[in-house]
Amino acid sequence: MTKVEAFRALHRRKAPGDPLVLPGPWDAASARVFVEAGFPALATPSAGVAASLGYEDGQTPADEMFAAVARIVRAVDVPVSADIEGGYGIAPKELVERLLATGAVGCNLEDSEDGALKDPRAHADWLAEVRHAAADRLFVNARIDTFIRPPGAADPKQAAERAIERAALYVAAGADCVYPIGAPTDVLPLLRSGIQGPINVHGTVTGDGPSPTELGELGATRITFGPGLQRRAAEALREIAAGLTK
């Protein structure tokens, strides 16, 4: 079984309360820590990688992002999916080839740009081009930004309805999974009832939100954490650094 086949198989849930949990490494060292902890696959967060490279979220040059992903992939022997934001304006065929060159088996692709939602049909057409170029070599996770961008961001129910509409277009275009980022917990059952296929949900690293098991029971297929783990690690490092002078 290839790594991408193994990655796809991990998304076939054995039970509603058994979602795939994918920690997000920001460099090779953190990737090794997660693999040593027993996680079967990883998913890089663009914001966490940006922070490790000294950039603000969304400001990482494409070349540096691909190089960072390649270092993470090289450091571990489990499948790695990469958050490559909106694709950096690269044509689908080149985007796919550059991603495959890193060794990644999947990618996140978001449907907003410059703070605004993209036209869903145009974005679906673009995703279809990515799928055609990738064939079965990549697992495509289509991020849906209706909960974090206007007009739906202020109305969770409206955002959920828009997310379901977009998800149908993206799945039809060949997306393997959809990621309604920022979706409140109470709308997950609605999303689950209206979306075909795997759903990615954002988990918490602070212990003050639903557990992965609880999120799975509400409809999540897989759990990722965005830059949360990198930020938590940075907080721990600040505490260590402060203690060095005492």
Side-chain angles (χ1 to χ4, degrees):
M1 182 182 291
T2 66
K3 280 188 176 180
V4 67
E5 289 171 340
F7 192 63
R8 279 203 176 89
L10 289 170
H11 289 77
R12 301 185 191 117
R13 297 189 302 168
K14 296 181 288 296
D18 185 28
L20 172 62
V21 178
L22 295 174
W26 53 95
D27 59 14
S30 59
R32 286 176 174 150
V33 168
F34 295 136
V35 171
E36 289 167 3
F39 290 97
L42 307 173
T44 70
S46 62
V49 173
S52 76
L53 297 174
Y55 293 102
E56 294 297 320
D57 184 21
Q59 300 301 310
T60 309
D63 288 349
E64 292 199 46
M65 183 62 76
F66 286 121
V69 171
R71 287 191 292 271
I72 289 169
V73 172
R74 188 169 60 245
V76 296
D77 58 2
V78 302
V80 177
S81 181
D83 183 347
I84 51 172
E85 303 177 271
Y88 308 109
I90 302 171
K93 187 176 186 301
E94 181 186 351
L95 182 67
V96 166
E97 295 306 322
R98 292 190 67 177
L99 186 57
L100 289 171
T102 70
V105 301
C107 60
N108 273 20
L109 293 167
E110 57 198 51
D111 69 349
S112 64
E113 185 175 24
D114 298 327
L117 289 166
K118 296 178 182 178
D119 176 82
R121 294 190 180 279
H123 187 63
D125 289 343
W126 182 79
L127 287 174
E129 292 185 56
V130 172
R131 168 52 67 209
H132 178 73
D136 61 355
R137 297 179 295 170
L138 287 174
F139 186 99
V140 177
N141 187 34
R143 201 180 89 174
I144 299 173
D145 291 358
T146 57
F147 290 96
I148 62 172
R149 308 293 185 207
D155 184 339
K157 187 173 184 298
Q158 181 186 57
E161 291 169 352
R162 290 176 180 269
I164 290 170
E165 292 170 358
R166 286 173 176 259
L169 292 170
Y170 302 164
V171 170
D176 298 286
C177 182
V178 295
Y179 179 18
I181 188 171
T185 302
D186 58 2
V187 303
L188 293 183
L190 174 60
L191 293 173
R192 178 69 280 168
S193 68
I195 294 175
Q196 297 297 314
I199 299 176
N200 189 154
V201 172
H202 189 276
T204 178
V205 300
T206 58
D208 57 356
S211 69
T213 295
E214 291 168 331
L215 290 174
E217 291 171 344
L218 290 170
T221 307
R222 82 181 205 178
I223 313 296
T224 55
F225 304 93
L229 291 161
Q230 181 271 329
R231 291 172 181 170
R232 186 80 179 272
E235 290 173 6
L237 190 57
R238 288 189 192 97
E239 293 179 4
I240 294 171
L244 297 178
T245 58
K246 293 180 180 179

